[in-house]
Every structure is written in structure tokens, then in C-alpha cells.
Amino acid sequence: MTAQMTMYPGNFRVFLTAALVASVICDDQAAQADDAGATRTIAAEDADLARSAASEGGVAPVGRLPITRQPLAAGNDATLCASQAEGRYFPDTAWFYQDVSQAKVAADSSAITSWMVSKSAPGGWGTGTMRIDFSMVVMDAAAGTAKRSFAQNSSYYTPDCDSAPVPLPAGGYVEDYPQSPPNPALPWAGYDCSGYADGADCHMLIVSRSEKRLYELYSANLSAANVFSSGCQAVWSTAAAPGPNGRGQQCTSADAAGFPIAPLLFSAEEIKAGEIRHAIRFTLPNSMIRSKKYVYPATHGTNTSGPLTSLPYGAQLRLRADYPLNNLKPAARVVAKAMQKYGMYLADGGNIALTAQSDVLGCATWQEVGLGPNDLSALKATDFVVIDRGPTIDLTYDCQRVPIAN
């Protein structure tokens, strides 16, 4: 994953200072891009911000602002609202749904979490403190949604990636969607990724419950000229839990660790329901991820450079049981409880630790449930333990699989 700008929820409007722009550090998503040195630069982030400045009175906002609206009714395919508050995407036996509150702690847990804090004080996360990115949009594709083929761009890798046509619902959004809400008379405008040319992640995440499939695309864009292009697509069958080899050892997905993304995102609907029933996705900078190693359930990694005291791709952290949850806001407490029961998995490279689901198409809003980007900033790496996930695996990039074409 490339560098992330904080995506702020609901109708919060927060502006970026010059000091924060200068502090942005960039990370890659794909191993091949890492090896080529194709990291996204601070200048690319600045270009994203500059594009939006004209519509914001010359002041560049930190994130993409969702459309101002009332929450939609849950359970209606027409809303495009996709949330695991309405039911898990995969069977209950999937690894990201397992209770790990009593799971074995790794022998080097304390050494790793202490190193994290020393490397990136005060909290041990990419920006120093734990922050939440609200940029990922998940869409529900109703039965019968028309499918579109895409042109493969330079972030499409064979045989890691799938080429199946994508059910693209009208009115949907790509991650890093346009700064200003698109014209509602243009139902495909939300798929035109504003940072696509500059290397933004531009994920598209689509749940097709009728097909029992999850379509996840990285570096995807539907341009104003109606050209649909994408990098790596991972098509997941939601009819069965992912096996121990995922999509194949040494194979990536739309996330660097080879994970599915959508089932690891927490949503405003889940906060509103009072419970998150799955593990959570988190990221770290490449320099804080163990060099060219991964661990189950990951199947892939990138050209990372962290020492032996850092986490490998696929590592799982669990918030300690005695953490004083009452010190947190009610909404943040729901997230923390999930971290105690299900933990969180290192899925990609990036600076903003946690990834929540955007409310731009939600059946609840982040403003409504009261969760902001810094509401878990008190949590330090040393408040977590590292779960023992077995021996690490050397990264070779030798993916062997048959891509899904239909």
C-alpha cells in the first residue's frame, strides 16, 4: 500500500498544516513495485492535496469528505450498504473470526512491542500514535449487477492476480474518491480515483452476496472517459473459509500480505450495533516490518527492511485483557474490545495504523456513532501482545496459482 492520508469521517472537516505535509512518509503496496523503487513520494501526496484546494478556498483538506446525507436503511441492496453488522461475509470458521483471547503469546512478544515504541515514539505506530483511516469503501453489488472487464495496468501481476469481470454498481465509490461529491446525475463518477495518476491505492471493494464472492481491486479507476483499468484483483469465494494457503503461498492480493481486505474493516454500523465480530486490519511502515518475511495466515510480503525485533507480515497483535477500557470513548471501546477478542493483523505497509470502512455509502455515519481518527491514540504497542503464529516464511515471490478469469 502506498502512503495514506488520514480520511476523516462523517462531516468532520480538518485541514492539513504544512508541518504535517512534510511529515508524510510513503510505503509501497506491491513487492514488485518495492523492488523497482517505485515508492509514492511526498510530492505525490501534495499533488492530491493541491487538486482539492481550489474547491476548498485554497486550503487543502486532509481527506475525502463523504456526501452529507442522512443514514440509510440497513439491509436494502439499493443503498449499496455493505457491512458485517448484517452478517459475516465468510463462514464463521474463517481465521479472522476466531476468538484469540486465550491464544498463545509469542516468546519474543515483549521485545517486539518494546522495539516498536522505541522506533516510533510515543505509541509505536507509523505516525507515532494509533490513528484511524476512514478511506476504504465497501459496496454491496445486488444480484444482477452488470459486470465490466478492465484493462490491466502495471500493478497487475501474473499469476497472483485475477482478471474476472467486476460487478460494478452504479453510484459506488473507489477509495480516494473525488474531493468533491460527484454529480448524482453521473452514476459512475465516484469510481474516478483522484490520485490514480500519482499512484494512490485506489482500492475497489465489492461484496456480491448472491454470487458468494468478494471482488477486491488495487489501483483501480473508471475514468471520465469510461476507461476501466486496474492493477491486482483478488476474487475471493465467500462460500468457504480461506484455507491455510490462502490464494497460494507467495501470492499477493489487493493487500500486500495476501489477505482479503473487507472482512478486516470495522464499520460505523458495527459500532452502532455495539459489537465488532472479527479481527481488524492494521499497517506499519516498511521500515517497521521484518525484512522479507511473513507468517501464517499471510501468504506474501514485500521488500521490507525491519530487524528481527519487528513484526513480519501476517503478524497478529492482541490488546491485553486488563487494558482500562473505561478510559476510552464508548465508540472506541467497541473497537478495543474486538482487539482483545479477535486481535488485529498486519496486512499492508502504511503510516496510519487502523483502517475503518468509509461511511460514504453507509447505513450509519461515523459522526453519528462518535468515532474520530484519534480516539484510539492512547493505545501503545506495549499495550498489546504478539500472538504465536508459528515460524516465519522466507519471501520468494514464487506464486503458483491459476488466476480466476470468470
Side-chain angles (χ1 to χ4, degrees):
M1 188 177 193
T2 54
Q4 303 165 1
M5 291 184 294
T6 307
M7 304 300 179
Y8 285 81
N11 298 317
F12 294 122
R13 189 174 290 264
V14 184
F15 297 98
L16 191 65
T17 65
L20 182 55
V21 173
S23 72
V24 176
I25 301 171
C26 299
D27 283 285
D28 258 344
Q29 187 268 350
Q32 292 87 338
D34 277 319
D35 291 339
T39 53
R40 193 176 184 211
T41 64
I42 293 175
E45 293 290 347
D46 288 345
D48 276 349
L49 298 172
R51 274 194 300 274
S52 69
S55 64
E56 298 294 339
V59 182
V62 172
R64 316 302 185 215
L65 299 175
I67 294 172
T68 301
R69 49 144 186 80
Q70 295 298 313
L72 301 170
N76 181 353
D77 278 347
T79 67
L80 305 184
C81 171
S83 167
Q84 292 189 100
E86 299 174 11
R88 287 168 163 168
Y89 298 143
F90 288 80
D92 291 345
T93 53
W95 51 263
F96 33 81
Y97 298 144
Q98 300 311 299
D99 182 344
V100 296
S101 57
Q102 302 300 318
K104 181 182 177 182
V105 176
D108 54 356
S109 175
S110 294
I112 289 174
T113 57
S114 296
W115 177 85
M116 291 170 68
V117 171
S118 68
K119 173 69 174 177
S120 187
W125 314 109
T127 58
T129 58
M130 178 174 279
R131 294 162 61 194
I132 308 171
D133 175 353
F134 297 87
S135 66
M136 293 276 199
V137 183
V138 184
M139 295 165 283
D140 182 8
T145 298
K147 294 186 176 183
R148 299 188 62 151
S149 297
F150 59 88
Q152 299 167 8
N153 65 28
S154 60
S155 293
Y156 186 97
Y157 313 118
T158 301
D160 302 56
C161 309
D162 299 318
S163 59
V166 183
L168 212 57
Y173 287 86
V174 65
E175 179 194 19
D176 189 46
Y177 47 84
Q179 294 283 353
S180 299
N183 185 339
L186 303 174
W188 308 107
Y191 292 113
D192 192 354
C193 184
S194 65
Y196 180 70
D198 297 317
D201 284 359
C202 303
H203 285 100
M204 288 186 191
L205 310 177
I206 301 162
V207 178
S208 179
R209 296 183 191 265
S210 62
E211 288 186 283
K212 297 188 183 302
R213 270 188 171 185
L214 171 63
Y215 296 81
E216 299 191 331
L217 296 85
Y218 168 75
S219 186
N221 186 65
L222 178 59
S223 72
N226 199 35
V227 176
F228 186 23
S229 56
S230 180
C232 197
Q233 176 185 219
V235 178
W236 298 87
S237 171
T238 60
N245 292 317
R247 301 175 68 252
Q249 290 297 326
Q250 306 294 333
C251 300
T252 192
S253 65
D255 240 355
F259 291 161
I261 299 172
L264 294 170
L265 304 180
F266 59 95
S267 66
E269 291 85 353
E270 291 169 302
I271 301 295
K272 188 174 182 179
E275 185 181 21
I276 297 168
R277 299 173 57 237
H278 57 82
I280 290 171
R281 176 187 191 266
F282 82 102
T283 73
L284 288 172
N286 282 345
S287 61
M288 293 183 67
I289 302 174
R290 193 175 303 180
S291 180
K292 298 181 180 179
K293 300 281 187 180
Y294 66 86
V295 67
Y296 172 85
T299 61
H300 187 262
T302 63
N303 192 24
T304 50
S305 57
L308 289 176
T309 46
S310 60
L311 292 169
Y313 264 119
Q316 185 180 27
L317 296 180
R318 182 184 71 210
L319 182 62
R320 71 176 202 263
D322 63 348
Y323 186 86
L325 297 180
N326 288 338
N327 292 345
L328 302 173
K329 292 172 59 176
R333 212 174 296 155
V334 176
V335 182
K337 286 181 179 178
M339 293 174 174
Q340 290 175 325
K341 184 172 182 178
Y342 301 102
M344 58 183 196
Y345 284 93
L346 180 54
D348 209 346
N351 295 299
I352 301 173
L354 299 184
T355 315
Q357 185 173 319
S358 171
D359 64 358
V360 67
L361 296 172
C363 300
T365 68
W366 290 109
Q367 185 176 29
E368 175 190 2
V369 301
L371 187 70
N374 297 307
D375 286 350
L376 287 160
S377 61
L379 298 185
K380 297 183 177 182
T382 46
D383 293 321
F384 291 79
V385 295
V386 182
I387 300 300
D388 187 348
R389 281 294 179 182
T392 57
I393 299 168
D394 291 335
L395 180 63
T396 67
Y397 306 134
D398 185 23
C399 174
Q400 301 290 329
R401 65 181 295 272
V402 177
I404 298 171
N406 294 294

